[in-house]
Amino acid sequence: MILCERCPDNPTCDNCLVALRSGGAANKVVPPRTVKVTNLATMESYQAKLVAVSRTTIGLSSSEHDLHGRIEIELAYDFRIIGSGLRGIAGDPYHIIDIEKVLRREDVLERLLLEEFHTWHMSGELDPTDVLLHWKDRDDERGRLIKQEIQKLSILRQIETIFLYLYDEGEVRPLGDARASVEVEREMQRLVEEAAGTGGPVREQIVTSDGTKVFELYTSVLPDRTCGIALIDVTAVIAEERKRKRREWEIYRDILGVVTEGKLLLLSDEELFFLLREGHKLLAIDIRLPEQLAELRKLFKQALEPQGISDKRLLQFLVAVNEAASNTLKHGNGGVVTLYLSNDRQMCRAVIHDEGQGILLEDIPRATLQQGFSTRHSLGAGFHVILQYCDRVYLSSSLAGTKLILECNLSR
C-alpha cells in the first residue's frame, strides 16, 4: 500500500482502510495512537502507531520494524490484541494485523465478538480504564449475552472442522488461516449473496461435486450490517450417524426375527430389490378406494389359481393381502399392490407399497406385534392375521413410505 503524504494524520484518505479488506466495517484512528508491540516468537518489544481498525483486522504503522508473524499489541495495561502480521511490501511502513483474539482481564473475546473493542475506537475514547475496571461486576443484559456468546464460540473454536468467514460489501473473507476449498467457498459465496437481501439468519447445506464432503453453512447478520459465517464440515458426523442408525436397525431386525421365529423380517430397499429379482411380475393395481379391494381379490385369484395353490392357501393369502391393502386406505391415501411369482413357480410375493410417512423404527415392534396398537403410521390391528396367514412377511419403511411383502409358498 502507498501511504499519502499526510498519512497517518489525513482523515480524508482511505488507503489504509482499503488495505484492511473489511469494507464499511473499517475506520481510521485519528490521531494515530502509540501502542506497544511484542513479537511472540522473539519476545522483543517496540512501539508502533495504531492507524486503522476493523472488526477482524487492524493497521499499524512502523518504519523501523517488520511486523509479521504472531504479535501482541498492548492498548492498555489489561487490554491486548493477539494477531498475525501479514507480510507486506518491503520497506512499506504500513502493516495489516489479522486479529485472533482480544484479551481483557482474563476474558477472551473471539473474532466475531469484538463489538466493544470496535465501539471503543469509533467513539474516539482512548482511555478504556473506566469500562474495564467494572467489567467483572457488570450484570446487565448485554454483559450476560456477551458472556454466553463467548462460551459458545470458545466451544466452536475447538472444532477443527469449522471455518469462520466475514461477508461485507459483496466479499467473503476468511477469519484466520483455516479455510475450505475453492469449490466450497464459491458455492458459499453464491448462497450468502442470495440470502443477503433477507436480513435474517441462513442455514444451508453444501455438498462437494464428488460427494465426499458435506458442510453445514450458518450465517448471522452482525450489528454493523456485515455477516458472520460459520462453515462446519459434518462429513464425519453424518457417516458416524449412518453407522449408528444401521447398527440400531440391525438390532431391531434381529429382535423381530427371534420373537417371530424368522417369520417377520426387516428389509432394506437394496435387499428388497434383489428379493424381487428372483421372480417376475404378474400384475399390479393401484388401490385408492375401498371399492377397489374386491377387484384386487378377483385379480389375485385369477393369477394364482393356475399356479396349483390349494383353495385354503389361496383364501388365507387373499385375506392377508386384503388386510394389508385395506390398511393403506385406513392409515394413508392408499397405495400400489404388486404380485410377483418366483422363477421356480413355487413362491408368490405380494408387495403392498403405501405413500405415507413411514413407521418410526422404535414403533415397528408395537406396530407389528402388539394387538390394538394403532396410530396413523401403524400397520393396523389386523397385522397378526397377516403374520398368521403368510409363510413370511418382510417390512421396509422409510420417509418414502412403507413396503410390506407377503410371501406364500404355493406348494404347501
Side-chain angles (χ1 to χ4, degrees):
M1 185 200 79
I2 301 177
L3 297 175
C4 66
E5 294 180 358
R6 294 174 54 195
C7 189
D9 296 320
N10 182 6
T12 63
C13 176
D14 64 351
N15 285 359
C16 54
L17 303 183
V18 173
L20 294 186
R21 299 181 62 197
S22 296
N27 289 81
K28 298 186 70 169
V29 179
V30 180
R33 180 178 179 194
T34 300
V35 295
K36 179 183 177 181
V37 178
T38 301
N39 188 314
L40 296 180
T42 64
M43 298 308 295
E44 293 181 296
S45 298
Y46 26 82
Q47 290 187 336
K49 293 286 188 180
L50 181 61
V51 178
V53 60
S54 75
R55 295 173 58 84
T56 59
T57 54
I58 61 175
L60 296 179
S61 176
S62 175
S63 58
E64 299 177 0
H65 302 280
D66 188 9
L67 307 182
H68 67 267
R70 295 193 79 234
I71 62 175
E72 175 187 282
I73 303 96
E74 185 175 325
L75 303 177
Y77 76 97
D78 57 358
F79 195 24
R80 298 170 295 142
I81 291 176
I82 305 296
S84 299
L86 308 179
R87 285 188 178 274
I89 302 174
D92 190 341
Y94 189 63
H95 301 80
I96 309 301
I97 310 300
D98 190 9
I99 297 174
E100 293 180 9
K101 53 190 173 184
V102 176
L103 304 178
R104 174 203 278 172
R105 282 185 178 270
E106 301 179 356
D107 285 320
V108 179
L109 301 184
E110 297 285 358
R111 293 175 177 278
L112 298 182
L113 297 174
L114 303 179
E115 288 87 352
E116 291 204 342
F117 166 68
H118 191 59
T119 304
W120 171 60
H121 280 288
M122 296 309 99
S123 65
E125 176 61 63
L126 298 181
D127 185 5
T129 306
D130 293 339
V131 178
L132 301 178
L133 284 177
H134 307 291
W135 169 253
K136 286 190 176 293
D137 298 330
R138 290 178 60 183
D139 195 31
D140 56 273
E141 184 64 20
R142 186 164 184 263
R144 287 195 296 270
L145 290 175
I146 290 176
K147 290 178 182 178
Q148 291 174 6
E149 292 301 317
I150 290 173
Q151 293 174 348
K152 289 189 289 185
L153 193 55
S154 64
I155 295 173
L156 287 178
R157 297 284 289 184
Q158 297 176 30
I159 303 176
E160 296 181 357
T161 53
I162 184 171
F163 307 98
L164 299 180
Y165 294 82
L166 184 71
Y167 178 77
D168 187 26
E169 294 188 349
E171 182 179 3
V172 172
R173 179 176 177 275
L175 300 180
D177 298 329
R179 60 191 303 173
S181 66
V182 175
E183 176 196 4
V184 173
E185 287 189 354
R186 188 183 301 115
E187 179 64 12
M188 176 181 64
Q189 170 108 15
R190 185 186 68 80
L191 292 172
V192 173
E193 288 177 349
E194 289 180 356
T198 65
V202 175
R203 177 181 178 181
E204 292 284 352
Q205 192 173 83
I206 298 177
V207 183
T208 56
S209 56
D210 57 7
T212 59
K213 289 284 187 179
V214 182
F215 295 87
E216 289 282 353
L217 172 70
Y218 300 87
T219 68
S220 178
V221 178
L222 301 174
D224 58 2
R225 296 187 179 181
T226 58
C227 183
I229 306 168
L231 185 69
I232 305 176
D233 186 344
V234 295
T235 308
V237 175
I238 291 176
E240 186 60 32
E241 179 65 11
R242 286 175 177 170
K243 289 181 181 178
R244 186 193 66 80
K245 286 185 175 295
R246 179 65 187 182
R247 288 193 297 267
E248 184 180 6
W249 183 87
E250 289 174 349
I251 291 173
Y252 275 92
R253 179 194 61 186
D254 294 343
I255 291 176
L256 287 176
V258 170
V259 170
T260 62
E261 297 181 347
K263 201 167 185 179
L264 174 60
L265 297 177
L266 290 185
L267 209 62
S268 66
D269 285 340
E270 182 181 8
E271 292 169 333
L272 173 61
F273 172 76
F274 284 105
L275 179 68
L276 298 181
R277 282 189 62 185
E278 298 175 0
H280 59 278
K281 183 167 63 175
L282 292 181
L283 63 91
I285 181 172
D286 194 10
I287 301 294
R288 301 296 169 182
L289 299 171
E291 295 78 10
Q292 294 176 295
L293 293 176
E295 180 67 15
L296 171 68
R297 295 191 298 270
K298 176 182 176 181
L299 292 175
F300 263 62
K301 184 177 181 181
Q302 292 175 350
L304 292 177
E305 279 182 336
Q307 310 305 324
I309 187 174
S310 67
D311 292 341
K312 180 179 179 181
R313 291 290 294 152
L314 177 59
L315 177 60
Q316 290 175 335
F317 190 60
L318 291 179
V319 170
V321 172
N322 187 84
E323 181 64 31
S326 178
N327 284 336
T328 68
L329 296 172
K330 294 176 183 177
H331 303 285
N333 298 318
V336 178
V337 182
T338 309
L339 178 62
Y340 291 85
L341 182 65
S342 64
N343 294 329
D344 61 7
R345 309 179 76 85
Q346 299 298 307
M347 185 78 67
C348 69
R349 296 183 179 97
V351 181
I352 297 90
H353 181 196
D354 70 44
E355 299 170 358
Q357 298 178 0
I359 308 172
L360 294 176
L361 185 61
E362 57 267 29
D363 284 341
I364 287 180
R366 290 182 296 168
T368 56
L369 303 178
Q370 179 180 329
Q371 295 189 36
F373 177 80
S374 180
T375 69
R376 61 188 299 267
H377 302 307
S378 77
L379 294 174
F383 190 76
H384 68 285
V385 174
I386 297 174
L387 279 178
Q388 180 181 356
Y389 284 167
C390 296
D391 292 305
R392 181 170 290 173
V393 177
Y394 300 96
L395 175 63
S396 174
S397 190
S398 67
L399 293 177
T402 300
K403 297 185 183 73
L404 201 61
I405 301 92
L406 312 185
E407 191 173 87
C408 178
N409 191 331
L410 300 177
S411 61
R412 277 186 52 187

Coordinates of all heavy atoms in Angstrom, one line a residue, residues 267-269 271-287 296 300 304 317 320-326 328 334-342 347-355 379 386 390 392-397 401-408:
L267 N -36.4 -55.4 6.1 CA -35.7 -55.5 4.9 C -35.3 -54.1 4.4 O -36.0 -53.1 4.5 CB -36.6 -56.1 3.8 CG -36.0 -56.9 2.7 CD1 -35.3 -58.1 3.2 CD2 -37.1 -57.3 1.7
S268 N -34.0 -53.9 3.9 CA -33.6 -52.7 3.3 C -34.1 -52.6 1.9 O -34.5 -53.6 1.3 CB -32.1 -52.5 3.4 OG -31.5 -53.5 2.5
D269 N -34.1 -51.4 1.3 CA -34.6 -51.3 -0.1 C -33.7 -52.1 -1.0 O -34.2 -52.6 -2.0 CB -34.6 -49.8 -0.5 CG -35.7 -49.0 0.1 OD1 -36.7 -49.7 0.5 OD2 -35.7 -47.8 0.2
E271 N -32.0 -54.9 -0.3 CA -32.4 -56.3 -0.2 C -33.7 -56.6 -0.8 O -33.9 -57.7 -1.4 CB -32.4 -56.6 1.3 CG -31.1 -56.6 2.0 CD -31.2 -56.7 3.5 OE1 -32.2 -56.2 4.1 OE2 -30.2 -57.1 4.2
L272 N -34.7 -55.7 -0.8 CA -35.9 -55.9 -1.4 C -35.8 -56.0 -2.9 O -36.4 -56.8 -3.6 CB -36.9 -54.7 -1.1 CG -38.2 -54.7 -1.9 CD1 -39.0 -56.0 -1.6 CD2 -39.0 -53.4 -1.5
F273 N -34.9 -55.2 -3.5 CA -34.7 -55.2 -4.9 C -34.1 -56.6 -5.4 O -34.6 -57.1 -6.4 CB -33.6 -54.1 -5.3 CG -33.2 -54.1 -6.7 CD1 -34.0 -53.7 -7.7 CD2 -31.9 -54.7 -7.0 CE1 -33.5 -53.7 -9.1 CE2 -31.5 -54.7 -8.3 CZ -32.3 -54.3 -9.4
F274 N -33.2 -57.1 -4.6 CA -32.6 -58.4 -5.0 C -33.6 -59.5 -4.8 O -33.6 -60.5 -5.5 CB -31.3 -58.7 -4.2 CG -30.2 -57.9 -4.8 CD1 -29.7 -56.8 -4.1 CD2 -29.5 -58.2 -5.9 CE1 -28.6 -56.1 -4.5 CE2 -28.5 -57.5 -6.4 CZ -28.0 -56.4 -5.7
L275 N -34.5 -59.4 -3.8 CA -35.5 -60.4 -3.5 C -36.5 -60.5 -4.7 O -36.8 -61.6 -5.1 CB -36.2 -60.0 -2.2 CG -37.4 -61.0 -1.8 CD1 -36.8 -62.4 -1.4 CD2 -38.2 -60.4 -0.6
L276 N -36.9 -59.3 -5.1 CA -37.9 -59.3 -6.2 C -37.3 -59.7 -7.6 O -38.1 -60.1 -8.5 CB -38.6 -58.0 -6.3 CG -39.4 -57.6 -5.0 CD1 -40.0 -56.2 -5.2 CD2 -40.4 -58.6 -4.7
R277 N -36.0 -59.6 -7.7 CA -35.4 -60.0 -8.9 C -35.4 -61.5 -9.1 O -35.2 -62.0 -10.2 CB -33.9 -59.5 -9.0 CG -33.8 -58.1 -9.3 CD -32.3 -57.7 -9.5 NE -31.8 -58.5 -10.6 CZ -30.5 -58.4 -11.0 NH1 -29.6 -57.7 -10.3 NH2 -30.0 -59.1 -12.0
E278 N -35.7 -62.3 -8.1 CA -35.8 -63.7 -8.1 C -37.1 -64.2 -8.8 O -37.3 -65.4 -9.0 CB -35.7 -64.3 -6.7 CG -34.4 -64.0 -6.0 CD -34.4 -64.5 -4.6 OE1 -35.5 -65.1 -4.2 OE2 -33.4 -64.4 -3.9
G279 N -37.9 -63.3 -9.2 CA -39.2 -63.7 -9.9 C -39.6 -62.6 -10.9 O -38.8 -61.8 -11.3
H280 N -40.8 -62.8 -11.4 CA -41.4 -61.8 -12.4 C -42.7 -61.4 -12.0 O -43.4 -62.0 -11.2 CB -41.4 -62.5 -13.8 CG -42.3 -63.7 -13.8 ND1 -41.9 -65.0 -13.4 CD2 -43.6 -63.9 -14.2 CE1 -42.8 -65.9 -13.6 NE2 -43.9 -65.2 -14.0
K281 N -43.1 -60.2 -12.5 CA -44.4 -59.5 -12.0 C -45.5 -60.1 -12.8 O -45.5 -60.2 -14.0 CB -44.2 -58.0 -12.3 CG -45.5 -57.3 -11.8 CD -45.2 -55.8 -11.7 CE -44.9 -55.2 -13.1 NZ -44.8 -53.7 -13.0
L282 N -46.6 -60.5 -12.1 CA -47.8 -61.0 -12.7 C -48.8 -59.9 -12.9 O -49.5 -59.8 -13.9 CB -48.4 -62.1 -11.8 CG -47.7 -63.4 -11.7 CD1 -48.4 -64.4 -10.8 CD2 -47.4 -64.0 -13.1
L283 N -49.0 -59.0 -11.9 CA -49.9 -57.9 -12.0 C -49.6 -56.8 -11.0 O -48.9 -57.0 -10.0 CB -51.4 -58.4 -11.8 CG -51.7 -59.0 -10.4 CD1 -52.3 -57.9 -9.5 CD2 -52.7 -60.1 -10.6
A284 N -50.2 -55.6 -11.2 CA -50.1 -54.5 -10.3 C -51.4 -53.7 -10.3 O -52.0 -53.5 -11.4 CB -48.9 -53.6 -10.6
I285 N -51.9 -53.3 -9.2 CA -53.1 -52.5 -9.1 C -53.0 -51.4 -8.1 O -52.4 -51.5 -7.0 CB -54.3 -53.4 -8.7 CG1 -55.6 -52.6 -8.7 CG2 -54.1 -54.1 -7.4 CD1 -56.9 -53.4 -8.5
D286 N -53.5 -50.2 -8.5 CA -53.4 -49.0 -7.7 C -54.7 -49.0 -6.8 O -55.8 -48.9 -7.4 CB -53.3 -47.8 -8.5 CG -52.9 -46.5 -7.8 OD1 -52.5 -46.7 -6.6 OD2 -53.0 -45.4 -8.3
I287 N -54.6 -49.0 -5.5 CA -55.7 -49.0 -4.6 C -55.9 -47.6 -4.0 O -55.0 -47.2 -3.2 CB -55.5 -50.1 -3.5 CG1 -55.4 -51.4 -4.1 CG2 -56.7 -50.0 -2.5 CD1 -56.6 -51.9 -4.8
L296 N -59.2 -56.2 -6.5 CA -57.9 -56.7 -6.1 C -58.0 -58.2 -5.8 O -57.1 -59.0 -6.4 CB -57.4 -56.0 -4.9 CG -56.1 -56.5 -4.3 CD1 -54.9 -56.3 -5.2 CD2 -55.8 -55.9 -2.9
F300 N -56.1 -61.2 -8.1 CA -55.1 -62.2 -7.4 C -55.6 -63.6 -7.6 O -54.8 -64.5 -7.8 CB -55.0 -61.8 -5.9 CG -53.8 -60.9 -5.6 CD1 -53.7 -59.7 -6.2 CD2 -52.8 -61.4 -4.8 CE1 -52.7 -58.8 -5.9 CE2 -51.7 -60.6 -4.5 CZ -51.6 -59.3 -5.1
L304 N -53.4 -66.6 -9.4 CA -52.8 -67.6 -8.6 C -53.4 -69.0 -8.8 O -52.8 -70.0 -8.5 CB -52.9 -67.2 -7.1 CG -52.0 -66.0 -6.7 CD1 -52.2 -65.7 -5.3 CD2 -50.5 -66.3 -7.0
F317 N -54.3 -66.4 1.8 CA -53.4 -65.4 1.3 C -54.2 -64.2 0.8 O -53.8 -63.0 1.0 CB -52.6 -66.0 0.1 CG -51.5 -65.1 -0.4 CD1 -50.5 -64.7 0.4 CD2 -51.5 -64.6 -1.7 CE1 -49.4 -63.8 0.0 CE2 -50.5 -63.8 -2.2 CZ -49.5 -63.4 -1.3
A320 N -55.0 -62.1 3.8 CA -53.8 -61.3 4.3 C -53.6 -60.1 3.4 O -53.3 -59.0 3.8 CB -52.6 -62.2 4.3
V321 N -53.6 -60.3 2.0 CA -53.4 -59.2 1.1 C -54.5 -58.2 1.2 O -54.2 -57.0 1.2 CB -53.3 -59.8 -0.3 CG1 -53.3 -58.6 -1.3 CG2 -52.1 -60.7 -0.5
N322 N -55.7 -58.6 1.4 CA -56.8 -57.7 1.5 C -56.6 -56.8 2.8 O -56.9 -55.6 2.8 CB -58.1 -58.4 1.6 CG -59.3 -57.5 1.6 OD1 -59.8 -57.1 0.6 ND2 -59.9 -57.2 2.8
E323 N -56.2 -57.5 3.9 CA -56.0 -56.7 5.2 C -54.9 -55.7 5.0 O -55.0 -54.5 5.4 CB -55.6 -57.7 6.3 CG -55.4 -57.1 7.6 CD -56.6 -56.4 8.2 OE1 -57.7 -56.9 7.9 OE2 -56.5 -55.4 8.9
A324 N -53.8 -56.1 4.3 CA -52.6 -55.1 4.1 C -53.0 -54.0 3.2 O -52.7 -52.8 3.5 CB -51.5 -55.9 3.5
A325 N -53.8 -54.3 2.2 CA -54.2 -53.2 1.3 C -55.2 -52.3 1.9 O -55.2 -51.1 1.7 CB -54.9 -53.8 0.0
S326 N -56.1 -52.9 2.8 CA -57.1 -52.1 3.5 C -56.4 -51.1 4.5 O -56.9 -50.0 4.7 CB -58.0 -53.0 4.3 OG -59.0 -52.3 5.0
T328 N -53.7 -49.6 4.0 CA -53.1 -48.4 3.3 C -54.2 -47.4 3.1 O -53.9 -46.2 3.1 CB -52.6 -48.8 1.9 OG1 -53.7 -49.2 1.1 CG2 -51.6 -49.9 2.0
G334 N -53.9 -44.8 0.4 CA -53.9 -45.9 -0.4 C -52.5 -46.2 -0.9 O -51.5 -45.7 -0.3
G335 N -52.4 -47.1 -1.9 CA -51.0 -47.5 -2.3 C -51.1 -48.4 -3.6 O -52.2 -48.6 -4.2
V336 N -50.0 -49.0 -3.9 CA -49.9 -49.9 -5.0 C -49.7 -51.3 -4.5 O -48.8 -51.6 -3.7 CB -48.8 -49.5 -6.0 CG1 -48.7 -50.5 -7.1 CG2 -49.0 -48.1 -6.5
V337 N -50.4 -52.3 -5.1 CA -50.2 -53.7 -4.7 C -49.7 -54.4 -6.0 O -50.4 -54.4 -7.0 CB -51.5 -54.3 -4.2 CG1 -51.3 -55.8 -3.8 CG2 -52.1 -53.5 -3.0
T338 N -48.6 -55.1 -5.8 CA -48.0 -55.8 -6.9 C -47.8 -57.3 -6.6 O -47.4 -57.6 -5.5 CB -46.6 -55.2 -7.3 OG1 -46.8 -53.8 -7.4 CG2 -46.1 -55.8 -8.6
L339 N -48.0 -58.2 -7.5 CA -47.9 -59.6 -7.3 C -46.7 -60.1 -8.1 O -46.6 -59.9 -9.3 CB -49.2 -60.4 -7.7 CG -49.1 -61.9 -7.6 CD1 -48.9 -62.3 -6.1 CD2 -50.4 -62.5 -8.1
Y340 N -45.8 -60.8 -7.5 CA -44.6 -61.4 -8.1 C -44.7 -63.0 -8.0 O -45.2 -63.5 -6.9 CB -43.3 -60.9 -7.5 CG -43.0 -59.5 -7.8 CD1 -43.6 -58.5 -7.0 CD2 -42.2 -59.1 -8.9 CE1 -43.3 -57.2 -7.2 CE2 -41.9 -57.8 -9.1 CZ -42.5 -56.8 -8.3 OH -42.2 -55.5 -8.6
L341 N -44.2 -63.7 -9.0 CA -44.1 -65.1 -8.9 C -42.7 -65.5 -9.1 O -42.0 -65.0 -10.0 CB -45.0 -65.8 -10.1 CG -45.0 -67.3 -10.1 CD1 -45.7 -67.9 -8.9 CD2 -45.7 -67.8 -11.4
S342 N -42.2 -66.4 -8.2 CA -40.7 -66.8 -8.2 C -40.5 -67.5 -9.5 O -41.4 -68.1 -10.2 CB -40.4 -67.6 -7.0 OG -41.1 -68.8 -7.1
M347 N -43.2 -70.0 -5.3 CA -43.4 -68.9 -4.3 C -44.0 -67.7 -4.9 O -43.7 -67.3 -6.1 CB -42.1 -68.5 -3.6 CG -42.1 -67.5 -2.5 SD -42.7 -68.3 -1.0 CE -41.3 -69.4 -0.7
C348 N -45.0 -67.1 -4.3 CA -45.5 -65.8 -4.7 C -45.3 -64.8 -3.6 O -45.3 -65.1 -2.4 CB -47.0 -65.9 -5.1 SG -48.1 -66.2 -3.8
R349 N -45.2 -63.5 -4.1 CA -44.9 -62.4 -3.1 C -45.8 -61.3 -3.5 O -45.8 -60.8 -4.7 CB -43.5 -62.0 -3.1 CG -42.5 -63.1 -2.6 CD -41.1 -62.5 -2.6 NE -40.2 -63.6 -2.1 CZ -39.4 -64.3 -2.9 NH1 -39.5 -64.2 -4.2 NH2 -38.6 -65.3 -2.3
A350 N -46.6 -60.7 -2.6 CA -47.4 -59.5 -2.8 C -46.7 -58.4 -2.1 O -46.4 -58.4 -0.9 CB -48.8 -59.7 -2.2
V351 N -46.4 -57.3 -2.9 CA -45.8 -56.1 -2.3 C -46.8 -55.0 -2.2 O -47.4 -54.6 -3.2 CB -44.6 -55.6 -3.2 CG1 -44.0 -54.4 -2.6 CG2 -43.6 -56.8 -3.4
I352 N -47.1 -54.6 -1.0 CA -48.0 -53.5 -0.7 C -47.2 -52.3 -0.4 O -46.6 -52.2 0.7 CB -49.0 -53.9 0.4 CG1 -49.9 -55.1 0.0 CG2 -50.0 -52.7 0.7 CD1 -49.3 -56.4 0.3
H353 N -47.3 -51.3 -1.2 CA -46.5 -50.0 -1.0 C -47.4 -48.9 -0.8 O -48.1 -48.5 -1.7 CB -45.6 -49.8 -2.2 CG -44.7 -48.6 -2.1 ND1 -44.0 -48.0 -3.2 CD2 -44.3 -47.9 -1.0 CE1 -43.3 -47.0 -2.8 NE2 -43.5 -46.9 -1.5
D354 N -47.4 -48.3 0.4 CA -48.2 -47.1 0.6 C -47.2 -45.9 0.5 O -46.0 -46.0 0.5 CB -48.9 -47.1 2.0 CG -47.9 -47.0 3.2 OD1 -47.0 -46.2 3.2 OD2 -48.1 -47.8 4.2
E355 N -47.8 -44.7 0.4 CA -47.1 -43.5 0.2 C -47.1 -42.6 1.4 O -47.0 -41.4 1.3 CB -47.6 -42.7 -1.0 CG -47.5 -43.6 -2.3 CD -48.2 -43.0 -3.5 OE1 -48.9 -41.9 -3.3 OE2 -48.2 -43.5 -4.6
L379 N -49.5 -50.4 11.3 CA -49.9 -51.4 10.2 C -51.3 -51.9 10.5 O -51.8 -52.8 9.8 CB -48.9 -52.5 10.1 CG -47.5 -52.1 9.6 CD1 -46.6 -53.3 9.7 CD2 -47.6 -51.6 8.2
I386 N -52.2 -61.2 9.3 CA -51.3 -61.2 8.1 C -50.1 -62.2 8.5 O -49.7 -63.0 7.7 CB -50.7 -59.8 7.8 CG1 -51.9 -58.9 7.4 CG2 -49.6 -59.9 6.8 CD1 -51.4 -57.5 7.2
C390 N -49.5 -65.9 6.3 CA -48.4 -65.9 5.4 C -47.2 -66.7 5.9 O -47.1 -66.9 7.1 CB -47.9 -64.4 5.1 SG -49.2 -63.4 4.3
R392 N -44.0 -65.9 5.3 CA -43.0 -64.9 5.8 C -43.5 -63.5 5.4 O -44.1 -63.4 4.3 CB -41.7 -65.3 5.3 CG -40.6 -64.3 5.7 CD -39.2 -64.8 5.3 NE -38.8 -66.0 6.1 CZ -37.8 -66.7 5.9 NH1 -37.0 -66.4 4.9 NH2 -37.5 -67.7 6.6
V393 N -43.2 -62.6 6.2 CA -43.5 -61.2 6.0 C -42.3 -60.3 6.1 O -41.5 -60.4 7.0 CB -44.6 -60.7 7.0 CG1 -44.9 -59.2 6.7 CG2 -45.9 -61.5 6.8
Y394 N -42.0 -59.5 5.0 CA -40.9 -58.6 5.0 C -41.4 -57.2 5.2 O -42.5 -56.9 4.6 CB -40.1 -58.7 3.7 CG -39.5 -60.1 3.5 CD1 -40.2 -61.0 2.7 CD2 -38.3 -60.4 4.0 CE1 -39.6 -62.2 2.4 CE2 -37.7 -61.7 3.8 CZ -38.4 -62.6 2.9 OH -37.9 -63.8 2.7
L395 N -40.7 -56.4 5.9 CA -41.1 -55.0 6.1 C -40.0 -54.0 5.8 O -38.9 -54.2 6.2 CB -41.6 -54.8 7.5 CG -42.0 -53.4 8.0 CD1 -43.2 -52.9 7.2 CD2 -42.2 -53.3 9.5
S396 N -40.3 -53.0 5.0 CA -39.3 -52.0 4.7 C -40.0 -50.6 4.8 O -41.1 -50.4 4.2 CB -38.8 -52.1 3.3 OG -37.9 -51.0 2.9
S397 N -39.5 -49.7 5.7 CA -40.2 -48.5 5.9 C -39.2 -47.3 6.0 O -38.1 -47.4 6.6 CB -41.0 -48.5 7.3 OG -41.8 -47.4 7.4
G401 N -42.3 -44.0 2.4 CA -43.4 -44.9 2.6 C -43.1 -46.2 3.2 O -41.9 -46.5 3.5
T402 N -44.0 -47.1 3.3 CA -43.8 -48.4 3.8 C -44.1 -49.5 2.8 O -45.1 -49.4 2.1 CB -44.8 -48.6 5.0 OG1 -44.5 -47.7 6.0 CG2 -44.6 -50.0 5.6
K403 N -43.2 -50.5 2.7 CA -43.4 -51.6 1.8 C -43.6 -52.9 2.6 O -42.7 -53.2 3.5 CB -42.2 -51.8 0.8 CG -42.0 -50.6 -0.1 CD -40.9 -51.0 -1.1 CE -40.5 -49.8 -2.0 NZ -39.9 -48.7 -1.3
L404 N -44.7 -53.6 2.4 CA -45.0 -54.8 3.1 C -45.0 -55.9 2.1 O -45.7 -55.9 1.1 CB -46.3 -54.7 3.8 CG -46.6 -55.7 4.9 CD1 -45.6 -55.4 6.1 CD2 -48.0 -55.5 5.4
I405 N -44.1 -56.9 2.3 CA -44.0 -58.1 1.3 C -44.6 -59.3 2.0 O -44.0 -59.8 3.0 CB -42.5 -58.3 0.9 CG1 -42.0 -57.0 0.2 CG2 -42.5 -59.4 -0.1 CD1 -41.3 -56.1 1.2
L406 N -45.6 -59.8 1.4 CA -46.3 -61.0 1.9 C -45.9 -62.2 1.1 O -46.1 -62.2 -0.1 CB -47.8 -60.9 2.0 CG -48.4 -59.5 2.5 CD1 -49.9 -59.6 2.6 CD2 -47.8 -59.3 3.9
E407 N -45.3 -63.2 1.7 CA -44.8 -64.4 1.0 C -45.6 -65.6 1.2 O -45.9 -65.9 2.4 CB -43.3 -64.6 1.4 CG -42.6 -65.6 0.5 CD -41.1 -65.6 0.9 OE1 -40.7 -66.4 1.8 OE2 -40.3 -64.8 0.3
C408 N -45.9 -66.3 0.2 CA -46.8 -67.5 0.3 C -46.1 -68.6 -0.5 O -45.9 -68.5 -1.7 CB -48.2 -67.2 -0.2 SG -49.3 -68.7 -0.1

